[in-house]
Amino acid sequence: FRGGAELLFDGVKKHQVTLPCQPEPWDIRNLLKWIKQNLLKERPELFMQGETVRPGILVLINEADWELMGELDYKLQDQDNVLFISTLHGG
C-alpha cells in the first residue's frame, strides 16, 4: 500500500499473506473481499467502492497495471505482488 493508502491499514505498507484454501482459484475480486475483512482497519469507503477499489486507487500486479491483467478476474498465482497506490490527495 502506497500513496497514503497504507494509512487505512494501520500505516503498514507491506503485508505478506497466505490466503486460505478454497475450491476455486483466488482472483482479485476475492482478494479485495479478504483484504476488507482481514486487513482494512478504517474508512473502507476510501479504499473500496462496491466490490472493487474506488477510483483513484492504482492497482499493479507484478508491476503491471491490473487493466492489462483482467482486473477483478485476474487469477492470483503463488508469489504474486499486488500493489495498491492511492493517487488521491487532499488539499
Side-chain angles (χ1 to χ4, degrees), residues 6-21:
E6 69 275 7
L7 299 175
L8 304 174
F9 299 87
D10 274 350
V12 179
K13 290 184 176 187
K14 185 174 184 176
H15 298 262
Q16 187 165 349
V17 300
T18 300
L19 298 169
C21 291

Side-chain angles (χ1 to χ4, degrees), residues 16-53:
Q16 187 165 349
V17 300
T18 300
L19 298 169
C21 291
Q22 64 178 27
E24 298 295 319
W26 279 87
D27 57 21
I28 295 293
R29 179 179 285 107
N30 290 326
L31 175 65
L32 287 172
K33 290 177 192 173
W34 187 89
I35 287 173
K36 184 177 180 181
Q37 293 171 346
N38 295 282
L39 297 179
L40 190 58
K41 301 298 182 189
E42 60 181 86
R43 305 198 53 193
E45 71 278 4
L46 294 180
F47 183 70
M48 295 195 63
Q49 185 173 35
E51 67 175 12
T52 190
V53 293

